[in-house]
Amino acid sequence: MSQFYLQSSGVTPPPPTTPITFTNIGGLTMNGLNSANVALGGTLLTGFGYNGVSGATAAVSNNGYIFTAGGTLTLPAAPASSDKISIITIATGVVIQASPGQIIRIAAQNSSSGGTATNTQVGDTLELIFGSGTWFEQNSNGGWNLA
């Protein structure tokens, strides 16, 4: 565990005896304010709240999800154009499930309609942006299998 001291413009910073504590899990650093830093490669969407999850989870547009164990993230059924989702895995067995009628596109590959993307290793990341019935890869790290 490491410590970080907050400094803010125009506001008196907390004294050095008031640390904000971060926890590091396999290259992922989180604090209690739902922000995260990742040392796994790739980039991380900024301005997002990141939620630590495992098991079945319904995604909310413009949010990030950090899988601490395997599980399924079901993408929103009625997203707006340009909605985004960010996924970070620190476990295997993470499945991203498109809603009926949607596809997931990573590089030049498409899932089936209502299909899935499954991570292949710990540390895989995936950032998706929605448009025209498709969740397009905006950025990714590692391997994702489409079905």
Side-chain angles (χ1 to χ4, degrees):
M1 193 175 298
S2 57
Q3 294 181 341
F4 172 81
Y5 295 97
L6 177 66
Q7 293 185 358
S8 178
S9 170
V11 177
T12 304
T17 57
T18 309
I20 297 173
T21 303
F22 291 81
T23 304
N24 188 301
I25 305 170
L28 173 68
T29 306
M30 291 191 59
N31 69 25
L33 303 175
N34 287 335
S35 64
N37 297 322
V38 178
L40 302 172
T43 61
L44 187 66
L45 292 173
T46 58
F48 267 39
Y50 280 83
N51 307 286
V53 296
S54 63
T57 303
V60 175
S61 291
N62 301 314
N63 276 277
Y65 298 89
I66 301 165
F67 275 86
T68 57
T72 299
L73 181 71
T74 302
L75 296 171
S81 183
S82 299
D83 277 0
K84 296 178 182 179
I85 299 287
S86 179
I87 300 111
I88 300 167
T89 68
I90 55 175
T92 56
V94 175
V95 177
I96 310 306
Q97 175 73 56
S99 290
Q102 299 174 355
I103 64 172
I104 301 169
R105 182 172 179 87
I106 299 176
Q109 302 295 314
N110 289 334
S111 72
S112 59
S113 179
T116 61
T118 303
N119 78 318
T120 60
Q121 58 192 339
V122 172
D124 290 345
T125 63
L126 181 61
E127 296 168 354
L128 298 169
I129 186 167
F130 187 78
S132 301
T134 300
W135 286 98
F136 293 96
E137 167 200 20
Q138 185 171 16
N139 191 4
S140 68
N141 181 52
W144 292 88
N145 292 327
L146 295 172

